[in-house]
Amino acid sequence: MENVDHIGIAVKNIDERIAYYTDVLGMNLEKVEEVESEQVKVAFLDGGNTHIELLEPLSETSAIHGYLEKRGEGIHHIALKVKGIEQEMERMKAEGARLLSDQPKIGAGGAKVVFIHPKSSFGVLYELVDRG
């Protein structure tokens, strides 16, 4: 692990929340994009030493939609920047981590990503991000 890449926050309305993060908190909006594989719209905000990723579901089949239904808006995951995600996945599995997929997916910005099941990380959903 290199550092914290970003903190993902589930939101119901990304446009309303962007205004809060830029106007009230003074963060700079870097980009907004849709990630079809996860059925989410994401906005990246510069938080200084890390980034904030706002996640709005694009459909009811999105995992973010289910998260919002169960828990409401708030912190969804912490993303950790790695190099060589496939090797890192194998290392973590050997240490007992349970991953949510066997292969990395393509996430926002074209990064390779995989999530660690919160049951194997003490209730925290972690995402590994390889921007290689």
Side-chain angles (χ1 to χ4, degrees), residues 2-126:
E2 291 185 4
N3 60 10
V4 174
D5 185 80
H6 66 268
I7 298 169
I9 299 176
V11 300
K12 292 180 181 177
N13 185 308
I14 206 164
D15 295 323
E16 289 177 5
R17 297 304 170 261
I18 287 171
Y20 174 79
Y21 283 84
T22 57
D23 298 346
V24 177
L25 298 180
M27 294 182 181
N28 292 318
L29 176 64
E30 292 186 334
K31 66 180 175 178
V32 177
E33 67 180 270
E34 291 185 4
V35 181
E36 289 301 322
S37 66
E38 299 298 320
Q39 285 295 295
V40 294
K41 183 177 181 180
V42 299
F44 277 99
L45 297 127
D46 184 351
N49 60 350
T50 193
H51 287 85
I52 300 293
E53 177 189 45
L54 303 180
L55 304 124
E56 175 188 347
L58 292 174
S59 73
E60 291 185 5
T61 61
S62 167
I64 297 300
H65 180 269
Y67 180 89
L68 288 167
E69 290 292 307
K70 287 182 187 175
R71 296 179 180 87
E73 293 185 313
I75 294 176
H76 178 260
H77 67 272
I78 297 172
L80 307 172
K81 186 176 181 181
V82 299
K83 285 185 182 172
I85 194 168
E86 291 87 356
Q87 295 82 6
E88 192 63 18
M89 289 170 66
E90 290 304 315
R91 185 192 69 74
M92 291 181 125
K93 283 194 276 188
E95 292 294 331
R98 183 171 149 202
L99 305 177
L100 291 181
S101 59
D102 292 327
Q103 297 294 322
K105 295 181 179 182
I106 301 301
K112 290 182 182 180
V113 302
V114 68
F115 287 89
I116 302 169
H117 198 292
K119 287 186 179 176
S120 71
S121 55
F122 311 101
V124 179
L125 179 63
Y126 287 102

